[in-house]
Amino acid sequence: MTTQYEYWWSVGYRIDHWLRVAALVVLTFTGFYIHWPFLPGGTEGGFAVMGWMRFAHFVSAYILMLGLIVRIYLAFRSTFDADWRDFGLVRNLRNIPDILLYYLFLTDTHKEYRRYNPLQALTYWFWALLIIFMALTGLALYRGTVFGLIQAPDAFEWVNTVLGGRSYTRIWHFLGMWVFLITISIHVYMAASVGLIQRDHTFRSMFTGYKLKVGGKPEKAAE
Ligand code: HEM
């Protein structure tokens, strides 16, 4: 069995990944607080805490949106590996049965995929759309100017109209957070379990940049 390291994530991809994780952690915490001000003095007369929470929410919202823009840029322009070709919708949708049968333990192998298998690629599509959804619903709840140019919520009032009113927008924004939390939990579980099963350093690769290439696939050869 030969093993060698493979450089899998450039510094740019890793920084972008962890910045978005940090933004999501802050957004979730502060979002919970805005929904349910649990610290003493958080409601009446407690503007200081709520003010800071909202400020942190908006700052991290910008980081999340900027992170998505950077990720799309990297997909097309990264000198390390522009991975846009992994995200073709039709091909990924067509290959879902292949990877699903494998994940359900109904087959031992799946097709070779370049960087991301179809479920991964479609999850990343889904998150991109979810970020856009959270940004639109968030901006429809916001009162202020965005980049000193766009007046919110006026410019996003149509979102409130489509969703049936501001209170519904709030509920959708809140539900969006839960969709994030559930799908991210699955993502972390998958990354950890793939790393454990294949012993290819998948999990730690997002920190170090390197995966372990296990040569010869000895488990299969032994069957
Ligand atoms: C991406 C851009 C986002 C923007 C512009 C944004 C903006 C906002 C705004 C303006 C509010 C209302 C604040 C207030 O009433 O004072 C809010 C509430 C909230 N946000 Fe965000 N947000 C964004 C993303 C997120 C994300 C990613 C999460 C969670 C993963 C999140 C979770 C929440 C929660 C839980 C609330 C409280 C909703 C409620 O009152 O029930 N937000 N957000």
Side-chain angles (χ1 to χ4, degrees):
M1 185 167 102
T2 56
T3 54
Q4 64 189 85
Y5 284 99
E6 223 179 340
Y7 193 38
W8 198 260
W9 305 110
S10 67
V11 176
Y13 275 118
R14 276 178 283 155
I15 292 178
D16 188 67
H17 177 270
W18 291 115
L19 268 182
R20 284 188 291 159
V21 171
L24 275 166
V25 169
V26 176
L27 281 163
T28 304
F29 182 80
T30 53
F32 255 121
Y33 187 84
I34 295 165
H35 180 79
W36 177 50
F38 50 84
L39 293 180
T43 43
E44 268 176 62
F47 178 79
V49 183
M50 181 58 98
W52 277 110
M53 290 290 176
R54 296 177 73 201
F55 176 70
H57 199 79
F58 304 140
V59 171
S60 35
Y62 279 117
I63 294 175
L64 189 71
M65 292 188 276
L66 217 65
L68 175 63
I69 293 167
V70 169
R71 184 60 180 83
I72 294 169
Y73 174 83
L74 288 175
F76 288 97
R77 281 271 174 269
S78 165
T79 49
F80 168 70
D81 182 9
D83 57 2
W84 58 269
R85 67 191 75 124
D86 289 301
F87 291 98
L89 269 181
V90 177
R91 182 172 37 82
N92 279 310
L93 284 169
R94 212 176 325 120
N95 280 326
I96 282 189
D98 172 61
I99 197 74
L100 217 52
L101 288 174
Y102 176 75
Y103 278 143
L104 293 173
F105 303 104
L106 295 172
T107 54
D108 297 340
T109 52
H110 59 75
K111 293 181 192 171
E112 284 288 322
Y113 296 106
R114 208 187 71 91
R115 272 181 89 82
Y116 315 114
N117 73 46
L119 282 184
Q120 274 177 293
L122 292 171
T123 304
Y124 304 155
W125 258 110
F126 177 74
W127 279 340
L129 297 178
L130 190 56
I131 290 173
I132 294 169
F133 177 79
M134 292 304 273
L136 287 176
T137 48
L139 290 169
L141 294 172
Y142 186 55
R143 286 180 204 281
T145 39
V146 186
F147 298 124
L149 290 171
I150 310 162
Q151 188 64 40
D154 305 4
F156 302 93
E157 205 49 63
W158 61 270
V159 179
N160 292 326
T161 312
V162 169
L163 294 178
R166 212 180 128 86
S167 42
Y168 282 102
T169 305
R170 215 181 146 189
I171 294 170
W172 279 109
H173 194 75
F174 186 64
L175 286 178
M177 175 191 71
W178 285 105
V179 176
F180 250 126
L181 291 184
I182 292 166
T183 48
I184 288 172
S185 309
I186 298 171
H187 171 72
V188 175
Y189 168 79
M190 296 291 254
S193 56
V194 163
L196 282 174
I197 293 165
Q198 298 183 353
R199 302 201 173 281
D200 64 354
H201 293 194
T202 288
F203 194 81
R204 74 181 80 165
S205 71
M206 198 43 92
F207 298 92
T208 63
Y210 288 92
K211 276 195 189 182
L212 200 60
K213 193 174 182 178
V214 184
K217 304 201 171 161
E219 305 86 7
K220 290 220 189 78
E223 274 171 17

